[in-house]
Amino acid sequence: MSAPHASSTPGDALPDTRDLVGIGFGPANLALAIAIREHNGRRASGEAIRASFIERQADFGWHQGMLLEGATMQVSFLKDLVTMRDPGSPFSFLHYLQDRGRLADFINQKSFFPTRLEFHDYLRWCAASFTGQVDYATEAVEVRPAGPAGAADQLEVVTRPASGAGNGPQRAVRTRNLVLGTGLRPRVPDGVSTGPHIWHNRDLLHRTSGLTDRPHLRFVVVGAGQSAAESADHLHRTFPDAEVCAVFTRYGYSPADDSPFANRIFDPAAVDEFFRAPEEVKQQLIGYHSNTNYAVVDGDLIEHLYRTVYQEKVAGAERLRILNTTALVALEDLPDGARAVVRCLTTGETLTLDCDAVVLATGYRPTDPAELLGDLAEECLTDGQGRLRVGRDHRVETTDRVRAGIYVQGAAAEHTHGITASLLSTLAVRSGEICDSLLLRVAEREVRSTIAARTTGATGAAAAADGVPAHH
């Protein structure tokens, strides 16, 4: 069976004005690219959606600094980029396994959860189909209205080489629709800057691979979520001569609620229910079920870490130290490492930990679309809390001065579409919804053009009847 990227479909040739430009080419916009490709494959060339994408990275990559050995996905392989939308798609995880010659082997594992490394390979396998539509190593620096003054039917996306540090040549691409899939940015504590020995966990593998001098034989991991627990476990296994101090303000790691009924919040139907709910109900639902995703840890990993701590106590050599109910109060980058000062919340006692590195597993924050939209952000409507008003089709509501479509994927729409906005669970269905919205907008544009042409024709006929040149 051949890989899906062996063929091309109508719409791959890109005109000067695109139907869609996507900023960011992570899993969300990759799923959208697939949905558009499959739509184009069922239509004549003239009915195709012509799309291109912009990506800062030099190649496709997804959380590569956390592709830890043995770490598994927290979602089923059936929630890949396509299956929930089209189980027969050639871009499914099962088709990937067949192409790689591992379908039977994977089935024999009796597991719904592939390793993170394997799922990343699946994503790269899909992304290989779109190299001609993605400008890698490129960053978007500005989005502005295009065309004559008045209603902006098109947008202009200004880009430059990502390695240009602001000095590279700029180019502009016009589009009728824009999709922002710029992902998340690392969150670090206030007043803290990352450096040679202070890392966000997203860089864990990149940084540890080059760590040769370790005079302190100690690491500090700050945070209580899945990434923090995985980072502590990885450092403990990778550096058997080092102490690993896990610092968090909770009493212990909290298990993720992955029970069947709670998991329904990740179903596509739950997005409809959440979107229709009153604002106070939306807040309640996020509060009730935040323990399905935020600052929680897989139960098996919690038990593994607890057993490790206990067995080291029995052996009298405690390398994994759980500093619970403890807060980070100061952090300093040293010439040969880092110094972390922590304070026990229950006793007030402070402790200074000189270490080879501090890993900040302190989460992420959404990218603010306004940073890229510039003056266009003023045309985007907001709610009473200053958040974007996003329609059910993931399109940002704008003033009448902007007719071009602006869509958002990711955490920027969590307040309207729920917890799954930044997760993999509904990517397949969401990509189909955005594709359908684009098709609806094409139809609307054709209707407007037809009405305008008829109006112009009628005006010209009337003028001719009065003896006035029609081209006045």
Side-chain angles (χ1 to χ4, degrees), residues 80-217:
D80 57 19
L81 299 179
V82 295
T83 297
M84 296 287 282
R85 174 179 57 81
D86 177 11
S89 169
F91 287 90
S92 71
F93 185 76
L94 290 178
H95 276 81
Y96 154 79
L97 289 173
Q98 180 76 347
D99 185 68
R100 290 288 198 250
R102 295 198 306 267
L103 180 57
D105 293 336
F106 183 86
I107 292 172
N108 288 337
Q109 288 189 125
K110 300 180 181 179
S111 173
F112 278 93
F113 307 103
T115 64
R116 198 174 297 155
L117 189 66
E118 183 174 34
F119 201 80
H120 181 263
D121 189 57
Y122 157 68
L123 295 175
R124 288 181 60 87
W125 179 81
C126 291
S129 293
F130 301 93
T131 53
Q133 293 175 249
V134 184
D135 289 329
Y136 286 107
T138 302
E139 62 180 347
V141 296
E142 183 184 3
V143 178
R144 60 198 183 201
D153 290 318
Q154 297 178 13
L155 302 175
E156 201 166 58
V157 182
V158 181
T159 67
R160 68 185 175 202
S163 59
N167 299 319
Q170 293 188 351
R171 60 185 293 262
V173 178
R174 286 196 176 191
T175 181
R176 298 181 180 91
N177 297 279
L178 178 73
V179 179
L180 299 176
T182 48
L184 301 167
R185 293 182 177 178
R187 177 187 287 116
V188 298
D190 292 340
V192 171
S193 299
T194 56
H197 304 99
I198 300 173
W199 321 322
H200 189 271
N201 70 272
R202 74 164 184 174
D203 297 320
L204 183 63
L205 288 181
H206 306 315
R207 296 287 195 159
T208 54
S209 62
L211 193 62
T212 55
D213 297 325
R214 296 186 294 111
H216 304 287
L217 298 181

Side-chain angles (χ1 to χ4, degrees), residues 210-346:
L211 193 62
T212 55
D213 297 325
R214 296 186 294 111
H216 304 287
L217 298 181
R218 176 188 287 142
F219 294 94
V220 172
V221 178
V222 180
Q226 180 74 21
S227 294
E230 288 180 352
S231 297
D233 179 56
H234 173 76
L235 292 169
H236 185 267
R237 289 186 288 107
T238 305
F239 300 97
D241 59 346
E243 176 183 276
V244 178
C245 299
V247 176
F248 48 83
T249 55
R250 298 185 177 200
Y251 205 85
Y253 293 114
S254 298
D257 184 356
D258 61 352
S259 58
F261 288 110
N263 271 346
R264 284 182 171 176
I265 199 169
F266 303 119
D267 292 350
V271 178
D272 290 322
E273 296 165 356
F274 187 93
F275 186 83
R276 294 192 298 262
E279 179 60 31
E280 62 272 16
V281 175
K282 286 184 170 74
Q283 294 304 313
Q284 289 173 356
L285 289 173
I286 290 177
Y288 291 153
H289 297 291
S290 62
N291 65 340
T292 58
N293 182 60
Y294 296 115
V296 289
V297 182
D298 178 75
D300 290 341
L301 180 55
I302 292 176
E303 292 183 7
H304 165 72
L305 292 174
Y306 187 87
R307 284 194 300 270
T308 299
V309 171
Y310 181 77
Q311 290 165 4
E312 289 183 348
K313 284 184 178 180
V314 172
E318 300 180 41
R319 285 199 307 115
L320 181 57
R321 298 175 59 190
I322 306 298
L323 304 182
N324 58 351
T325 65
T326 300
L328 177 71
V329 295
L331 191 55
E332 179 184 0
D333 209 332
L334 304 176
D336 63 349
R339 175 170 294 157
V341 180
V342 300
R343 177 171 56 85
C344 179
L345 300 179
T346 56

Side-chain angles (χ1 to χ4, degrees), residues 35-98:
I36 292 172
R37 170 73 61 84
E38 293 181 341
H39 159 77
N40 290 348
R42 298 187 295 268
R43 297 292 187 272
S45 179
E47 299 175 339
I49 297 174
R50 291 173 170 83
S52 66
F53 300 86
I54 298 161
E55 172 55 49
R56 290 178 59 109
Q57 297 184 103
D59 196 1
F60 184 90
W62 177 67
H63 296 302
Q64 291 175 283
M66 285 296 289
L67 298 179
L68 307 179
E69 181 182 357
T72 58
M73 299 292 293
Q74 270 71 57
V75 296
S76 166
F77 71 86
L78 293 173
K79 293 184 177 181
D80 57 19
L81 299 179
V82 295
T83 297
M84 296 287 282
R85 174 179 57 81
D86 177 11
S89 169
F91 287 90
S92 71
F93 185 76
L94 290 178
H95 276 81
Y96 154 79
L97 289 173
Q98 180 76 347

Side-chain angles (χ1 to χ4, degrees), residues 359-372:
V359 179
L360 301 171
T362 44
Y364 294 84
R365 60 181 177 86
T367 302
D368 184 0
E371 296 178 9
L372 189 59

Side-chain angles (χ1 to χ4, degrees), residues 436-461:
D436 289 344
S437 179
L438 294 173
L439 295 172
L440 180 60
R441 289 181 55 73
V442 169
E444 291 174 346
R445 189 166 60 248
E446 291 175 350
V447 169
R448 287 199 303 269
S449 298
T450 300
I451 293 174
R454 288 176 178 174
T455 302
T456 301
T459 302

